[in-house]
């Protein structure tokens, strides 16, 4: 009951300020003030203020808000940990597997001293690819390697 009275008084005061502002020929500002002044009155008439007053003094409602806060905090915690680790567990495993697959040992160089052995023949150039989807497999492998 007190909340409704306060909201009505605030609305009346706001409309009075809007009238004074309009008298000074600042119609845009007066219209904006009137709009803000009508919000508390609208909340009273729709019953939102009564609902809020009932909720504010209800221990059950406060327990519900506390549980929502805990849930929100847990969501934030999991997001932070996930970002620090670099993705989900499934993504990390896939990146590790692709890194192991693509790891290549460096080629051994020929000894600088000793008999000059003929160098092994270079690999023949790969035949041009017939399928254009194979071209994207290289790009896909690079992106997977970088965890994207």
């Amino acid at each position: 009951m007190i909340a409704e009275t306060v909201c009505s008084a605030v609305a009346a005061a706001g409309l009075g300020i809007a009238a004074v502002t309009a008298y000074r020929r600042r119609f845009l500002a007066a219209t904006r003030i009137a709009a803000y002044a009508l919000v508390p009155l609208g909340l009273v008439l729709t019953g939102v203020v009564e609902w809020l007053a009932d909720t504010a003094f209800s221990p059950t409602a406060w327990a519900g808000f506390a549980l929502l806060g805990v849930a929100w905090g847990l969501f934030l915690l999991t997001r932070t940990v996930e970002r620090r680790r670099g993705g989900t567990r499934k993504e990390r495993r896939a990146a590790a597997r692709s890194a192991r697959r693509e790891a290549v040992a460096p080629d051994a160089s020929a000894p600088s001293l000793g008999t000059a052995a003929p160098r092994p023949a270079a690999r023949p150039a790969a035949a041009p690819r017939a399928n254009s989807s194979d071209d994207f497999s290289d790009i896909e492998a690079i992106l997977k390697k970088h965890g994207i």
Side-chain angles (χ1 to χ4, degrees):
M1 178 94 172
I2 293 174
E4 288 89 354
T5 306
V6 170
C7 286
S8 298
V10 167
L15 290 174
I17 293 170
V20 170
T21 307
Y23 179 74
R24 294 181 182 169
R25 300 213 181 258
R26 296 180 55 199
F27 297 112
L28 187 62
T31 306
R32 190 172 296 126
I33 292 169
Y36 281 122
L38 291 174
V39 169
L41 191 59
L43 291 174
V44 166
L45 293 175
T46 57
V48 172
V49 174
E50 184 180 342
W51 177 79
L52 284 174
D54 290 342
T55 303
F57 299 112
S58 169
T60 307
W62 282 107
F65 285 129
L67 287 177
L68 287 174
V70 168
W72 183 72
L74 290 174
F75 280 126
L76 281 177
L77 180 70
T78 57
R79 291 279 301 192
T80 304
V81 169
E82 186 176 83
R83 285 184 183 193
R84 280 189 169 194
R85 287 187 178 176
T88 62
R89 184 176 181 180
K90 184 177 180 181
E91 292 169 350
R92 287 192 311 272
R93 283 187 176 178
R97 271 189 249 122
S98 66
R100 273 188 258 133
R101 240 183 279 136
E102 295 180 15
V104 177
D107 294 329
S109 62
S112 59
L113 300 173
T115 60
R119 289 192 172 192
R123 285 185 175 173
R129 297 179 182 162
N131 192 353
S132 65
S133 67
D134 290 339
D135 295 337
F136 292 112
S137 65
D138 296 338
I139 296 169
E140 189 176 285
I142 293 169
L143 290 174
K144 282 183 181 178
K145 179 180 177 184
H146 291 286
I148 299 175

